[in-house]
Amino acid sequence: MDDLCEHCQFNLGYIVDHIKEININNINDPMFTLNHDNFQYLCLECHNKKTFGTPKEKIREGFSFNELGELVYSPPIK
Ligand SMILES: [Zn+2]
């Protein structure tokens, strides 16, 4: 089946994402981690946007995302 990304409804879904981030306080709580209301099916692009910020936006000095949503190291040009 072709499940589209629940966010952009355009790309095919790539990853099941937790809407609310899992953290140290809820990782052992099945009511949270296995709660389907907290799942969304995202394409890679939307997942990266949600998790790392907008692609091509510099997330920290020297690192950025390319058009494939991959983290790349690009040293600042001096
Ligand atoms: Zn998407």
Side-chain angles (χ1 to χ4, degrees):
M1 60 183 178
D2 292 340
D3 277 339
L4 293 176
C5 167
E6 291 179 25
H7 184 74
C8 63
Q9 305 281 319
F10 178 73
N11 295 313
L12 285 180
Y14 168 80
I15 194 164
V16 175
D17 182 62
H18 283 85
I19 296 171
K20 293 176 186 167
E21 302 294 336
I22 292 179
N23 60 41
I24 193 81
N25 295 315
N26 58 37
I27 186 70
N28 291 318
D29 180 2
M31 290 295 287
F32 182 86
T33 57
L34 300 180
N35 182 356
H36 282 228
D37 290 342
N38 194 36
F39 288 158
Q40 59 184 347
Y41 200 47
L42 296 179
C43 68
L44 183 59
E45 187 178 333
C46 289
H47 177 259
N48 283 347
K49 276 184 192 171
K50 175 175 180 288
T51 306
F52 304 115
T54 308
K56 296 176 183 170
E57 182 180 315
K58 198 159 48 170
I59 56 168
R60 56 183 289 187
E61 195 63 29
F63 288 90
S64 62
F65 287 103
N66 64 17
E67 59 277 2
L68 298 177
E70 294 167 339
L71 187 63
V72 291
Y73 179 61
S74 46
I77 298 164
K78 295 184 178 172

